[in-house]
Amino acid sequence: MVMDEQSHIVDSFDQELKKIEQAMLEMAGLAGDQLTQAIRALFSGDLEEAKSVIASDKEIDALEARIDDVSVRVIALRQPMAQDLRSIVAAMKIANDLERIGDYGKSIARRTEILVDERPIKSAEKAIKRIGKLVVAMLTDVMDAYVARDVGKALEVRVRDEEVDEMHDALLRELLTYMMEDPRNITASMHLLFMAKMLERAGDHVTNVAEQVNYLITGEILDDDVRPGN
């Protein structure tokens, strides 16, 4: 009888963890879609798609709230220890990073209407699309690492954020040059700089997720200033 009760407790705990994991994967998918659709709407001038991105951010917020509720309930009722506790703590932190990534997508979408009537800067458009594609790919890979409990893949994603930073810095220099050459480029360039910064920050949050995956698996907290290969 005692064994049956213990088995039920373990099964119930595992089910709660699966609910959290499923909600996190749904959040990550929505956050990646937010970035992709926001960038597409920005350069196509599709105001309806931009509005859709802004509206869908509420779904991400609701999922984060659900993860927090389930996590707090599990901690209160199950009192998990060791790796089980790390699973809950990491999930809550990852959910917060995913929510922030979704917010960046919403922020980019809100600039669509402003830029519709501005002079296009084609090279900047290509750069922002490349940065966005890289960040979304990193997000997909880090969530794969989370599901597989693959610390090596998580750390590889962490290193790739350096490429995002380099692309952002290169675009910053390019846009500053455009603004100095022709004042008519200033408004568009300033908004594009803002969007590039949003993507760079999204990459930082993907890096945070990678660090939480490492913490979940190893129990170690990584130094932000130390990355493999440095």
Side-chain angles (χ1 to χ4, degrees):
M1 185 71 175
V2 173
M3 289 298 293
D4 288 345
E5 183 177 350
Q6 289 178 338
S7 177
H8 173 73
I9 291 172
V10 171
D11 288 344
S12 179
F13 180 74
D14 288 343
Q15 289 173 8
E16 298 285 11
L17 290 181
K18 287 179 181 177
K19 288 180 183 177
I20 292 171
E21 181 173 300
Q22 185 57 44
M24 287 172 59
L25 292 175
E26 190 175 348
M27 272 190 85
L30 287 171
D33 287 345
Q34 290 260 106
L35 290 178
T36 299
Q37 292 169 10
I39 294 169
R40 184 170 62 224
L42 172 67
F43 294 116
S44 68
D46 189 336
L47 298 181
E48 289 305 313
E49 184 167 28
K51 290 177 183 177
S52 175
V53 170
I54 295 168
S56 66
D57 188 61
K58 293 179 181 178
E59 296 179 52
I60 296 179
D61 294 343
L63 285 167
E64 184 190 21
R66 186 192 308 172
I67 290 169
D68 284 348
D69 287 346
V70 174
S71 297
V72 169
R73 184 172 69 248
V74 168
I75 291 173
L77 298 179
R78 309 296 182 193
Q79 298 182 347
M81 302 293 289
Q83 187 167 4
D84 288 338
L85 180 59
R86 293 205 304 272
S87 296
I88 302 299
V89 172
M92 294 175 73
K93 290 185 176 181
I94 290 171
N96 180 256
D97 283 306
L98 295 175
E99 190 274 335
R100 293 298 299 137
I101 292 170
D103 281 348
Y104 293 134
K106 179 175 66 175
S107 294
I108 292 171
R110 282 177 169 164
R111 296 301 186 283
T112 300
E113 187 171 5
I114 298 171
L115 283 175
V116 165
D117 297 323
E118 292 297 328
R119 301 176 69 197
I121 302 176
K122 289 298 182 181
S123 59
E125 175 181 335
K126 291 178 181 178
I128 287 177
K129 286 180 177 178
R130 286 198 301 270
I131 297 172
K133 186 175 181 180
L134 177 56
V135 171
V136 172
M138 288 168 57
L139 177 58
T140 299
D141 289 345
V142 82
M143 294 309 296
D144 286 346
Y146 168 76
V147 172
R149 301 298 192 264
D150 186 338
V151 69
K153 188 169 187 175
L155 294 179
E156 188 269 336
V157 170
R158 187 172 183 250
V159 172
R160 280 158 61 192
D161 186 54
E162 294 177 6
E163 185 178 354
V164 173
D165 294 342
E166 290 170 1
M167 293 170 70
H168 167 266
D169 292 346
L171 180 58
L172 170 62
R173 291 190 295 270
E174 180 180 345
L175 289 172
L176 288 174
T177 299
Y178 284 136
M179 286 189 283
M180 288 186 290
E181 288 178 346
D182 189 341
R184 290 175 298 175
N185 292 325
I186 290 177
T187 299
S189 294
M190 290 299 295
H191 285 292
L192 291 170
L193 281 172
F194 173 86
M195 293 171 203
K197 187 61 180 178
M198 293 299 96
L199 291 173
E200 188 266 338
R201 291 294 297 131
D204 288 344
H205 282 282
V206 175
T207 297
N208 290 347
V209 174
E211 291 170 358
Q212 287 303 315
V213 173
N214 176 80
Y215 167 73
L216 165 62
I217 298 167
T218 68
E220 298 176 354
I221 298 175
L222 295 171
D223 188 334
D224 286 341
D225 296 326
V226 179
R227 298 184 181 181
N230 285 357

